[in-house]
Amino acid sequence: MEQSHDKLIMTVNAGSSSIKIGLFKGHPGQDVPVLFAGAKFDGIGTLPRMKVTRADGSLATEKQFDPKEAHDQITAFKLIFPALLSELHGQEPALIAHRIVHGGEHYTEPVLMNQHHLQELKKVIPLAPLHEPFNLAPIEQILKSNPTLPQVACFDTAFHANRSELSMLTGLPYSYYEQGIRRYGFHGLSFEYISHQLHHVAPSIANGKVIIAHLGSGVGLCSIENGKCVEVTTSFTALDGVPMGSRTGTLDPGVMLYLVGQGKTYDELENILYRQSGLLGISGVSNDMRTLRSSGDKRAQLAIDYFAYHIAQQIGRLAVTVGGLDGLVFTAGIGEKDAKLRSQVVRYLEPIFKLELDEQANEGNAFQISSGESQAPVLVIPTDEESMLAKHAWKIYNKL
């Protein structure tokens, strides 16, 4: 570290087959920590590989591992530290911030983790089975190995927690809402980051009626006004809303009743909903848009068309919740890089919202991809969940 009184903040974003690590410097008196290095470990259990890069984009190290060396998140997590030592300059992390997909009913803001919170959050695992176990695994490991090291959990559901009761309700009897069955919403750290960024990069719409489309392997759209969430497409679980890489998106519950009647078990239904549907299920080819784009299979194109169709539908629905559209933002892996998808979505919206793309800007993944004739700006803003993790954790650390 450049200054001895700087504190090292490590951010951890652990998924089912990957772990993203951010290293930030927190300086006393500064609200926003500064990124100086990052690492990504993906292909866990299959083709494990790790890449460490510095903030300027230069490569620090890159390495592949035998699947037996990194067969789960814990073994992969242990391999990351030696690779980061050269970037740490001998300094140990002062705190670690973790992304947690689901905070349930009670966790609506970042929290300093302990065994009690860990056990409470384990109860939420059935609501996010693809993510929550892997989010919690590093926390549990560190609580055992280094219990005095502060760990802060930041929740993807928190950004949506102050929506109206009308937005949070389901159509079930109200007693279920009182029991915690409600529309929570996800990808909140991403939406929060974009909401903050608008004040810097597009201040004219930052407090307006903006729809953010987070399009990655997981998908969620959110309408904001005055920087606050009004409505979101995901709900009780991360299944709802737009179809995703391997998840259904919105589905008539009667389909599940029918399949139960056909003898499907709980585990089989969970597998269908979370792992066999969406782009993968429709195409029969892949859950990866890049693979679908390169495929000549008609069902691959059908999956892409279905995806775009439902994104546009949800944008229309969200515009109703805020009474208009002052700006549209695409973010996350697909949203930031797939120009053809953005063009396809905007074509659906053009007759209603008078949006128009600058095709050259769109093809180049420019910041503003709308033309001067567009009634509202259409923007591409890279998301940065890690910086939000660091910011939240640093704020809590400074209160210890």
Side-chain angles (χ1 to χ4, degrees):
M1 305 293 287
E2 293 179 2
Q3 301 181 41
S4 60
H5 51 274
D6 286 338
K7 298 296 182 181
L8 174 63
I9 305 163
M10 177 178 286
T11 63
V12 180
N13 188 344
S16 58
S17 63
S18 67
I19 299 174
K20 289 176 69 177
I21 301 286
L23 296 176
F24 292 78
K25 290 185 292 186
H27 187 75
Q30 293 181 349
D31 294 333
V32 182
V34 178
L35 177 72
F36 71 92
K40 184 173 183 181
F41 200 121
D42 57 17
I44 295 172
T46 54
L47 295 171
R49 56 184 181 268
M50 178 180 62
K51 187 176 183 179
V52 180
T53 55
R54 302 182 183 93
D56 62 6
S58 62
L59 180 65
T61 185
E62 190 169 14
K63 187 176 181 181
Q64 292 187 338
F65 298 90
D66 187 282
K68 294 178 181 178
E69 294 181 272
H71 57 84
D72 61 15
Q73 280 64 28
I74 298 301
T75 53
F77 198 67
K78 289 178 178 178
L79 289 170
I80 290 175
F81 282 100
L84 290 174
L85 283 178
S86 62
E87 303 302 315
L88 300 182
H89 303 288
Q91 185 174 6
E92 293 291 327
L95 71 158
I96 300 180
H98 299 264
R99 176 194 175 213
I100 308 296
V101 164
H102 209 314
E105 182 181 359
H106 303 295
Y107 290 91
T108 59
E109 59 184 20
V111 65
L112 189 65
M113 286 298 293
N114 56 32
Q115 283 293 345
H116 169 74
H117 292 315
L118 177 64
Q119 297 311 314
E120 287 299 305
L121 287 168
K122 283 185 175 182
K123 297 176 183 177
V124 183
I125 287 176
L127 304 187
L130 287 189
H131 301 89
E132 202 85 355
F134 309 109
N135 298 161
L136 297 177
I139 295 176
E140 185 166 24
Q141 173 66 25
I142 295 168
L143 281 174
K144 291 176 181 176
S145 62
N146 194 354
T148 61
L149 177 61
Q151 296 188 85
V152 175
C154 303
F155 303 97
D156 257 340
T157 46
F159 183 69
H160 311 298
N162 295 316
R163 298 186 347 263
S164 69
E165 182 181 54
L166 185 64
S167 173
M168 299 280 280
L169 280 169
T170 70
L172 292 170
Y174 191 81
S175 59
Y176 289 102
Y177 176 78
E178 294 176 313
Q179 295 170 37
I181 297 178
R182 55 188 63 186
R183 301 185 64 254
Y184 291 102
F186 299 92
H187 301 107
L189 290 164
S190 176
F191 294 131
E192 184 181 13
Y193 175 79
I194 298 298
S195 175
H196 288 184
Q197 280 296 100
L198 287 174
H199 288 278
H200 302 290
V201 300
S204 63
I205 64 169
N207 290 318
K209 301 166 182 178
V210 178
I211 293 172
I212 306 167
H214 176 105
L215 310 177
S217 58
V219 175
L221 284 78
C222 175
S223 58
I224 62 171
E225 189 170 17
N226 295 316
K228 305 295 183 183
C229 176
V230 176
E231 187 56 275
V232 62
T233 56
T234 48
S235 58
F236 181 62
T237 69
L239 283 170
D240 204 5
V242 176
M244 308 174 207
S246 63
R247 286 172 256 168
T248 58
T250 299
L251 180 70
D252 180 352
V255 174
M256 293 296 99
L257 295 177
Y258 174 79
L259 293 176
V260 168
Q262 296 295 304
K264 294 292 185 184
T265 66
Y266 174 92
D267 288 343
E268 287 173 327
L269 291 177
E270 182 183 79
N271 205 39
I272 292 169
L273 292 170
Y274 280 98
R275 301 176 183 89
Q276 297 179 357
S277 299
L279 296 175
L280 173 63
I282 294 171
S283 70
V285 174
S286 176
N287 65 346
D288 192 312
M289 279 288 286
R290 293 165 296 186
T291 303
L292 297 181
R293 286 279 180 215
S294 62
S295 172
D297 192 289
K298 289 184 178 180
R299 277 175 50 194
Q301 186 59 51
L302 178 63
I304 293 171
D305 292 343
Y306 184 84
F307 190 41
Y309 179 64
H310 283 270
I311 293 168
Q313 279 189 334
Q314 292 292 345
I315 291 171
R317 183 179 78 85
L318 290 173
V320 170
T321 68
V322 288
L325 181 65
D326 295 326
L328 173 62
V329 179
F330 290 95
T331 192
I334 299 171
E336 295 167 23
K337 298 173 183 175
D338 196 323
K340 289 182 180 178
L341 181 72
R342 293 193 299 257
S343 180
Q344 193 172 355
V345 169
V346 171
R347 280 199 300 272
Y348 279 117
L349 302 173
E350 185 177 354
I352 303 168
F353 299 107
K354 310 303 180 187
L355 301 180
E356 182 179 294
L357 291 188
D358 177 325
E359 292 300 339
Q360 185 174 356
N362 184 44
E363 287 294 331
N365 298 324
F367 161 65
Q368 180 161 336
I369 60 173
S370 51
S371 72
E373 302 300 316
S374 185
Q375 187 165 297
V378 183
L379 310 176
V380 177
I381 303 178
T383 193
D384 188 352
E385 294 162 326
E386 283 69 32
S387 71
M388 291 308 308
L389 292 172
K391 184 176 181 180
H392 286 308
W394 184 234
K395 184 177 180 180
I396 287 180
Y397 181 81
N398 283 321
K399 294 179 180 179
L400 295 178

